[in-house]
Amino acid sequence: IGTFQVVDVISRSLAGSFSMSPARLWLPMLLRLAFVPLFMLGQRDPDGFLWASDLGRFLLVALLAFSNGLFGSWAMMFGPACCAPEKREVAGMAMSWCLVTGI
């Protein structure tokens, strides 16, 4: 849990330093689905490549946390810009509410 939280915070702070096109943000979000079979494989075969040592586990969790913080921050930054100017404030508040409540 500590590894996830630390790396997530670091990646959120880096989100403003570099960016990507908002129209292509769906692609890395879709690629994050690859973590599901990796974690399932770790439960099925704990002696496998990533799970044989603590370093592999920390690396996998750190990559998940980094992608979570970076792509989540980019989504929060780009979201209101996709709305009409008069609705951006409401969109920002709705996105913040969803983030806080875990939706």
Side-chain angles (χ1 to χ4, degrees):
I1 293 175
T3 303
F4 187 91
Q5 292 172 332
V6 170
V7 176
D8 184 60
V9 168
I10 290 170
S11 65
R12 287 182 189 276
S13 66
L14 293 174
S17 300
F18 53 96
S19 185
M20 69 178 305
S21 168
R24 294 182 181 216
L25 186 59
W26 66 271
L27 184 61
M29 293 290 221
L30 187 66
L31 290 175
R32 288 187 73 223
L33 290 174
F35 285 112
V36 174
L38 285 175
F39 280 106
M40 290 174 66
L41 182 62
Q43 292 298 316
R44 183 171 180 220
D45 183 23
D47 296 327
F49 171 69
L50 285 173
W51 297 96
S53 70
D54 287 340
L55 180 64
R57 294 180 191 122
F58 282 120
L59 178 66
L60 195 57
V61 169
L63 287 172
L64 176 67
F66 189 82
S67 66
N68 180 68
L70 187 65
F71 302 147
S73 293
W74 282 347
M76 294 296 286
M77 290 168 24
F78 299 148
C82 296
C83 299
E86 65 273 2
K87 295 183 179 181
R88 288 182 181 168
E89 184 177 354
V90 174
M93 288 188 291
M95 290 176 65
S96 297
W97 182 79
C98 290
L99 180 67
V100 169
T101 58
I103 296 178

